[in-house]
Amino acid sequence: MEKDATTALEPFEELLSQEHRLLSTTSREEAVAAAADAIWPMAVEFRSSKGAFQYDLGGRNTAGLDVSVFHYEAHGGYVSRLEPVEDAYIFEAALKGSATVRTAGRTFSVCEGTAVLASPGEPITWEDSGAPYAGVSIRIPARVVETTASALTGADPVGSLTFAPRIVTTTRHGRELNRLIAGLIDAASAPDSLLDHPVAAAQFQDLLAVCLLTGFEHGESAGLRAVAANSGRAAVE
């Protein structure tokens, strides 16, 4: 039976275990500082300074990718303004709860079965209602995505690509991405991981980049479809 998006990402809990936990706090200020350092530079405005607050963060750099998992509950909710990052693509999938995202001229909800993919230079506003939320974030070096795009199209590198920011993880391509992420998190939480070896790490980076480039819309999607169509015609001939 095919696993759904949430089940496929269950290994994320391993990175919140004591071994990989980076922070567990009830301090709003400490949580913001840790999230800004580990995940994304940000400025956060809490709607209430009182009431329940809990933030748990775990993670590891593996396969040359910064992988973070987190769970929080912020009574009253908050608005977070995430600063543009120039040297990476940042993928964040919701595992529990929901939030409203505004980026690239679009507003949409991120909840179980969906994710956001921020391209270099794209700021994001993240609005949370205060309900418990859990997510997984992966920081992917821009050079890996852009070099892979060049290899797939056979063209010179074009620099930063702009992806459609909303990712649906319940489609065929989304499920493939889920399986890759689940494998990455499983490996990241294991001692003496194969991903600690540079060759294996580089191959995983490339595989993740290929999955994003061939499965989701971006500025070079038309070029990739043309290459695929030409390859198909050549195989027939």
Side-chain angles (χ1 to χ4, degrees), residues 22-25 27-44 46 53 55-58 66-72 78 80-83 85 90 92 126 137 139:
L22 301 175
L23 179 70
S24 181
T25 184
S27 165
R28 289 168 170 79
E29 293 77 13
E30 190 176 14
V32 172
D37 182 61
I39 303 174
W40 212 326
M42 65 181 72
V44 179
F46 291 97
F53 181 83
Y55 183 80
D56 297 294
L57 173 68
D66 288 317
V67 182
S68 302
V69 293
F70 51 91
H71 177 273
Y72 63 76
Y78 68 87
S80 179
R81 293 173 177 82
L82 311 177
E83 298 176 10
V85 173
I90 301 180
E92 182 172 317
W126 186 279
S137 177
R139 188 182 180 106

Side-chain angles (χ1 to χ4, degrees), residues 161-163 212-213 216-227:
L161 300 174
T162 300
F163 280 80
L212 290 172
L213 288 162
F216 305 97
E217 286 296 314
H218 54 82
E220 290 297 305
S221 292
L224 285 177
R225 284 192 288 266
V227 169

